[in-house]
Amino acid sequence: MAQKTVVIVEDEADIRDVLTYNLEREGFEVWGAADGKYGLKLIQDKQPDLVLLDLMLPGLDGLEICRQLKGSDKTATIPIVMVSAKGEESDIVTGLELGADDYVAKPFSPKEFMARVRAVLRRGNAPLAETVGTLIERDGVVIDMERHVVIVAGETISSFTATELKLLHFLAFHAGRVFTRDHLLTTVMGQESFVVDRNIDVHIQSVRKKLGTERKVIETIRGVGYRFRDSRQC
Ligand code: CA
């Protein structure tokens, strides 16, 4: 396999160094930029496999870089992991809605950080390979869209509404990825006229209740949204 490449746009030298060190140790080729304008140019020139993007940057901020990358055919498919500071939840939400793939919040451990990087690259490579038809098995939860049931610990549960099943299927299919409420609302419930309650939290609450002992597979990310636990990250 060819060596994977990463561009880091981060103005704090210490963090840039730590990220670079950990990535290089695992065989990545890394380029770093300390300001937004140079960072954007570097990404456009190098076309890396992954971008690590700080949000607060001199020159051009992270969200603007994200917007420009996702808005151009040449760079739209490059996965972006945002590197955020505490209190930037609303910026994370905006970034995810602009198309960023994930984020890590400072301070983070190198282990957590590398797990995120690997997960994003893995998802980028083979998003469809693990599903057989409309059946998904994730972390002990089987979701069978055709039979309209969920199987948890050997027990078949058929009380899920169409919306709940769709929501659970979507989250499980993209396990490990955080989705904002807005994203879930548009993607999962978008044009469905049968959805009465358009409050995502209500549906999530109901899904969890029906999952019983496995309710924890759906994680709340405070201030951001929801994700299906990715046990492979641990
Ligand atoms: Ca910064």
Side-chain angles (χ1 to χ4, degrees):
M1 203 171 68
Q3 190 179 29
K4 294 273 184 193
T5 55
V6 181
V7 167
I8 303 172
V9 191
E10 163 67 79
D11 57 326
E12 283 171 70
D14 288 356
I15 294 178
R16 210 170 52 238
D17 288 349
V18 169
L19 297 177
T20 304
Y21 171 79
N22 281 281
L23 287 160
E24 284 182 345
R25 205 174 56 166
E26 297 212 11
F28 289 85
E29 186 174 0
V30 183
W31 298 285
D35 78 88
K37 271 193 183 140
Y38 175 59
L40 180 62
K41 191 178 175 314
L42 197 61
I43 297 161
Q44 289 162 339
D45 287 352
K46 301 287 186 187
Q47 298 281 316
D49 294 302
L50 181 75
V51 169
L52 295 172
L53 187 60
D54 183 24
L55 293 181
M56 292 277 277
L57 288 165
L60 206 57
D61 74 41
L63 290 178
E64 185 50 36
I65 293 175
C66 189
R67 191 174 286 121
Q68 294 203 23
L69 291 176
K70 292 299 175 186
S72 158
D73 286 349
K74 275 180 123 178
T75 49
T77 56
I78 302 174
I80 299 173
V81 174
M82 297 177 283
V83 181
S84 73
K86 244 200 180 120
E88 290 182 337
E89 282 83 3
S90 68
D91 286 344
I92 293 166
V93 170
T94 308
L96 291 170
E97 277 161 9
L98 285 171
D101 294 80
D102 203 351
Y103 72 96
V104 283
K106 298 174 196 171
F108 46 81
S109 71
K111 201 176 152 207
E112 179 201 348
F113 160 73
M114 286 309 302
R116 289 244 171 274
V117 165
R118 278 191 294 265
V120 167
L121 288 172
R122 191 177 54 220
R123 290 202 296 264
N125 289 339
L128 290 163
E130 291 165 57
T131 57
V132 180
T134 52
L135 189 109
I136 298 184
E137 194 275 320
R138 282 271 193 277
D139 225 357
V141 177
V142 178
I143 303 147
D144 187 340
M145 297 295 277
E146 211 154 293
R147 290 173 57 217
H148 199 98
V149 294
V150 176
I151 303 163
V152 176
E155 194 195 334
T156 303
I157 307 159
S158 53
S159 58
F160 285 86
T161 66
T163 306
E164 289 163 2
L165 202 65
K166 224 173 145 188
L167 187 58
L168 180 61
H169 184 270
F170 181 80
L171 286 169
F173 186 76
H174 302 284
R177 184 165 175 166
V178 185
F179 292 98
T180 64
R181 289 173 172 81
D182 254 21
H183 192 137
L184 292 172
L185 201 60
T186 3
T187 316
V188 182
M189 311 194 178
Q191 289 86 38
E192 311 286 358
S193 52
F194 59 80
V195 181
V196 179
D197 197 332
R198 306 196 77 84
N199 183 339
I200 285 286
D201 300 330
V202 172
H203 295 289
I204 292 279
Q205 211 177 355
S206 180
V207 167
R208 280 187 176 140
K209 205 169 164 191
K210 290 172 187 176
L211 286 174
T213 53
E214 291 301 319
R215 60 189 303 129
K216 287 196 177 123
V217 293
I218 295 184
E219 301 172 327
T220 304
I221 311 301
R222 265 185 84 171
V224 180
Y226 295 103
R227 86 171 157 219
F228 195 98
R229 186 172 68 197
D230 186 355
S231 54
R232 294 168 302 181
Q233 278 187 30
C234 305

